[in-house]
Amino acid sequence: MKECKHLAIIMDGNGRWAKAQGKPRTAGHLVGADNVRTIAIAANDLGVKYLTLYAFSTENWKRSREEVSYIMKLPAYFFKKYMQEFIDRGFQMHMIGELDELPADTERVLKEAVEESKKNTGLSLNICMNYGSQREITLAARHYAKDVLEGKADLNIDEAGFEKYLMTKDFPPVDLLIRTSGEERISNYLLWQIAYAELEFVPESWPEFTPEVLKRCLEEYSHRDRRFGGVHE
Ligand code: IPE
Ligand code: IPE
Ligand code: MG
């Protein structure tokens, strides 16, 4: 099967999934959090090296205070339950987003997970928390401009040079982007990094996204003809 080194997922549909079962939206976020572990293990087994998950966007602050505060408490629940297993499996945790704007406890838990797994060399599990791609690119531009003013960067920067200012500088470009729950949009996710990614939109909501569905997605990906602007005979 064609290698999918970097898989990115927009984990969408938790709220609608819960509502359809007569439960509060937060019940969907809880099942969704547990599913991160299931899918991380499955992705690793299927040969993925980098798994980048959209957990909370810079726009998600618009939601009710109850929902936001519930989501902010999930990392503590999640890492308490699964961190030891992730370490045993060799997973390395990375965070993408402005963590310093999160509640202090949430920020601490996320940073601890990164610290505790930093010696691992297996699957890179990247969680996007308070992440927005336009914000990321704006911050990169600011940082670059400052470096130019201070004589630390050349004005004739190229794409590879600019990439070093992005929050994803340590990761390769995205090969496949999956969005769950039937929505077909990008919602400010990894705009630079998906320049040549394959896109798949699946009807299943995130809580229903099983390892079998993931396998189906990777099979579909393996039939795609990636040309990167060139020509394949
Ligand atoms: C994804 O599910 C989780 C987050 C965005 C935090 P949603 O909460 O967006 O669920 P729907 O799309 O409203 O069903
Ligand atoms: C994108 O989903 C963000 C995450 C999955 C974290 P949203 O549910 O926030 O996106 P929109 O508002 O439907 O575009
Ligand atoms: Mg949604």
Side-chain angles (χ1 to χ4, degrees):
M1 209 152 79
K2 187 190 300 172
E3 193 192 34
C4 175
K5 197 169 174 187
H6 189 169
L7 170 65
I9 306 181
I10 301 175
M11 308 184 288
D12 198 15
N14 291 349
R16 280 164 288 158
W17 177 85
K19 209 176 157 213
Q21 327 221 350
K23 293 179 184 158
R25 294 178 55 83
T26 49
H29 295 316
L30 182 61
V31 177
D34 284 325
N35 203 33
V36 167
R37 175 222 172 226
T38 306
I39 295 304
I41 293 168
N44 185 48
D45 290 346
L46 290 162
V48 170
K49 305 281 183 254
Y50 301 84
L51 177 62
T52 303
L53 301 174
Y54 209 2
F56 191 86
S57 77
T58 48
E59 287 75 31
N60 286 148
W61 296 106
K62 293 175 189 163
R63 298 184 178 200
S64 74
R65 200 145 45 104
E66 292 72 29
E67 182 170 346
V68 170
S69 89
Y70 187 88
I71 293 170
M72 291 303 154
K73 290 190 184 97
L74 278 176
Y77 157 82
F78 179 78
F79 287 116
K80 189 165 188 281
K81 196 166 168 190
Y82 300 123
M83 193 60 200
Q84 190 55 52
E85 182 186 3
F86 289 169
I87 289 175
D88 294 344
R89 288 179 182 272
F91 293 1
Q92 34 175 327
M93 301 301 312
H94 296 279
M95 301 300 152
I96 302 176
E98 288 172 282
L99 301 190
D100 56 354
E101 289 177 356
L102 299 172
D105 283 352
T106 312
E107 180 186 6
R108 180 179 48 76
V109 165
L110 294 173
K111 286 185 172 166
E112 273 172 14
V114 174
E115 185 62 26
E116 285 171 27
S117 62
K118 71 175 183 198
K119 292 204 177 80
N120 284 353
T121 54
L123 176 77
S124 181
L125 180 51
N126 312 321
I127 309 287
C128 300
M129 238 0 228
N130 190 29
Y131 172 82
S133 190
Q134 292 181 340
R135 177 77 182 158
E136 174 192 33
I137 293 169
T138 304
L139 291 176
R142 273 196 212 167
H143 187 179
Y144 167 60
K146 189 162 175 280
D147 279 358
V148 170
L149 286 175
E150 292 173 1
K152 294 182 197 155
D154 191 298
L155 197 50
N156 295 315
I157 193 170
D158 61 8
E159 291 87 331
F162 189 73
E163 256 167 16
K164 297 198 173 70
Y165 289 93
L166 296 176
M167 294 170 179
T168 53
K169 62 178 168 21
D170 298 325
F171 314 124
V174 174
D175 294 304
L176 171 63
L177 171 67
I178 299 171
R179 184 171 187 146
T180 61
S181 86
E183 304 295 350
E184 301 189 356
R185 56 178 169 268
I186 304 299
S187 301
N188 200 14
Y189 194 42
L190 303 174
L191 300 176
W192 174 290
Q193 297 84 349
I194 61 168
Y196 266 100
E198 295 297 321
L199 308 179
E200 291 188 31
F201 302 97
V202 300
E204 289 85 356
S205 63
W206 175 248
E208 299 165 328
F209 188 84
T210 58
E212 289 68 39
V213 182
L214 172 63
K215 211 165 159 220
R216 192 186 77 208
C217 290
L218 289 170
E219 262 159 22
E220 153 80 27
Y221 166 81
S222 73
H223 300 307
R224 300 278 180 95
D225 182 16
R226 301 186 75 191
R227 293 189 287 276
F228 299 96
V231 177
H232 282 179
E233 298 306 326

